[in-house]
Amino acid sequence: VQLQASGGGLVQPGGSLRLSCAASGFTLGDHAIGWIRQAPGKEREGISCISGIGDTPYYADSVKGRFTISRDNAKNTVFLQMNDLKPEDTAVYYCAADEGPFAAYCPTSLNRRYDYQGQGTQVTVSS
């Protein structure tokens, strides 16, 4: 199982980016997929998850109303649309997934560690 996040970059405050999470070795559509970010000197933060049943989205308060998670099962990809970006959104962003019988469900706590976490993509918000 491999997960790869992409789409990061440098953007000005108020700008937008769309991150992608591509998977190999398993079908994303059957799994809940989470997004986590890690900024230097800060705690790891789970920011969003989309369930594998019904595509129910969940968001941390820090990104609610600005970020949107979605999936395209035909492309085996999950997206994170990030709007109105702020300097505090600067971090490395990772996508993650679980295995096992409950893999289709998002965790009760978005900060919980997943079984698989892929390579991250750097997002820098700065003027």
Side-chain angles (χ1 to χ4, degrees), residues 36 43-47 60 107-114:
I36 301 97
E43 295 272 330
R44 173 183 173 280
E45 181 186 18
I47 58 171
T108 303
S109 168
L110 291 177
N111 288 330
R112 179 182 62 75
R113 292 191 181 276
Y114 293 76

Side-chain angles (χ1 to χ4, degrees), residues 28-33 49-59 69-73 77-78 104 106:
L28 273 178
D30 296 336
H31 291 71
I33 302 298
C49 181
I50 185 167
S51 70
I53 299 176
D55 289 346
T56 303
Y58 300 88
Y59 301 98
I69 191 170
S70 63
R71 69 166 83 231
D72 184 335
N73 289 336
T77 302
V78 168
C106 287

Side-chain angles (χ1 to χ4, degrees), residues 98-121:
D98 279 334
E99 63 179 350
F102 302 105
Y105 301 94
C106 287
T108 303
S109 168
L110 291 177
N111 288 330
R112 179 182 62 75
R113 292 191 181 276
Y114 293 76
D115 294 324
Y116 300 106
Q117 180 171 304
Q119 295 290 325
T121 186

